[in-house]
Amino acid sequence: AVEPAVFTQVLRETGTGLLFDLAHATITAHALGTDVRDYIVAYPLDRLRELHVGGVRPHEGDLEDHLAMADLDWALFDEMLGLIGGGRAAAPWIVACEYGGLGPNFAWRSDSAVIAHDAPHIRQLLDALALSTV
């Protein structure tokens, strides 16, 4: 279920769009021992409809997501925007900033100051590409 070829076949056969999560792609590529950029471009990005962005870092021995964006996360998001701007990926209908969450599993990573910083920066980057969906 994590192989891009499987997603490609399903999306082509059903005609559905793609919700793509950069943090999940980072974690999965790491688990597969694959470069995340190679993993991303193996997907049918022409079917992109929704893009999720958020930070990923090691925490207690595992990679965790729903974190504040760090330099590597911003760089990957910028590369994804380059794929979109260059026509290699469809412009998504929506871009979601995935940070924090509800309940005890997310309590340590749910600081409103992070959203106050990351969301406007995401918006700036989208506006520079003329993508105003957030």
Side-chain angles (χ1 to χ4, degrees), residues 4-17 44 46-47:
V6 173
F7 281 92
T8 300
Q9 180 180 351
V10 169
L11 294 177
R12 297 279 184 242
E13 289 179 7
T14 63
T16 57
D46 61 312
R47 305 296 308 160

Side-chain angles (χ1 to χ4, degrees), residues 36-69:
V36 68
R37 285 145 190 88
D38 293 338
Y39 184 73
I40 290 169
V41 298
Y43 275 82
L45 298 175
D46 61 312
R47 305 296 308 160
L48 183 64
R49 299 297 178 264
E50 185 169 336
L51 179 63
H52 292 188
V53 297
V56 176
R57 274 184 299 296
H59 177 76
E60 296 181 0
D62 293 315
L63 285 180
E64 291 283 347
D65 61 350
H66 289 244
L67 296 168
M69 298 278 283

Side-chain angles (χ1 to χ4, degrees), residues 45-46 80-91 129:
L45 298 175
D46 61 312
M80 187 68 181
L81 293 178
L83 293 172
I84 294 166
R88 183 119 187 246
L129 191 60

Side-chain angles (χ1 to χ4, degrees), residues 52-118:
H52 292 188
V53 297
V56 176
R57 274 184 299 296
H59 177 76
E60 296 181 0
D62 293 315
L63 285 180
E64 291 283 347
D65 61 350
H66 289 244
L67 296 168
M69 298 278 283
D71 290 343
L72 290 174
D73 307 306
W74 289 116
L76 188 60
F77 181 49
D78 190 53
E79 289 181 41
M80 187 68 181
L81 293 178
L83 293 172
I84 294 166
R88 183 119 187 246
W93 299 336
I94 187 168
V95 176
C97 174
E98 287 199 327
Y99 170 76
L102 301 173
N105 288 339
F106 292 97
W108 61 273
R109 52 186 163 173
S110 292
D111 179 358
S112 61
V114 171
I115 296 171
H117 174 269
D118 286 1

